[in-house]
Amino acid sequence: MLSLNIFSFENNLSFYNILKIYVMSFYGELCIYPNHSPLLGYIKSGIVLYNDKKQFFISQSFFEIKNNIVTVFSDVIDYDFSINIFSIKIFCK
């Protein structure tokens, strides 16, 4: 199982027992599963989806994958299950 830690100026979030995480990197969609090889990268502003149904919005971010722990460093986190396209367009300007 994966752990996801998100750090921002306003708050910090942690999630555990995650089966998979989807993010959009500058090289395309990235799907992270348990035992993923270590990786350091950059995520585009957008939705992060985990366990196929839970989601939140983040601004452009750096991330690290190491030892089944995914760490994201972001300026903006909108942790709301009712995210709509209009609110995403406002954050992406």
Side-chain angles (χ1 to χ4, degrees):
M1 296 286 198
L2 293 166
S3 296
L4 175 62
N5 299 312
I6 303 141
F7 299 102
S8 76
F9 294 116
E10 296 178 0
N11 56 8
N12 300 326
L13 302 172
S14 295
F15 306 97
Y16 304 97
N17 300 322
I18 298 174
L19 299 173
K20 56 185 164 180
I21 303 169
Y22 294 100
V23 296
M24 185 59 75
S25 73
F26 278 93
Y27 300 107
E29 185 176 328
L30 179 63
C31 184
I32 304 164
Y33 287 96
N35 300 317
H36 194 287
S37 60
L39 181 65
L40 184 63
Y42 198 63
I43 301 173
K44 287 183 174 181
S45 295
I47 293 175
V48 174
L49 177 69
Y50 63 99
N51 287 346
D52 288 331
K53 41 185 155 170
K54 302 195 182 197
Q55 62 187 6
F56 55 90
F57 176 83
I58 60 170
S59 62
Q60 294 180 2
S61 311
F62 288 99
F63 74 96
E64 177 189 42
I65 304 169
K66 186 176 181 182
N67 298 328
N68 288 326
I69 299 171
V70 179
T71 306
V72 177
F73 302 96
S74 181
D75 290 338
V76 177
I77 303 170
D78 185 1
Y79 184 66
D80 183 3
F81 292 108
S82 61
I83 295 172
N84 60 42
I85 298 301
F86 180 73
S87 66
I88 291 171
K89 287 181 181 176
I90 290 172
F91 278 113
C92 291
K93 288 184 179 179

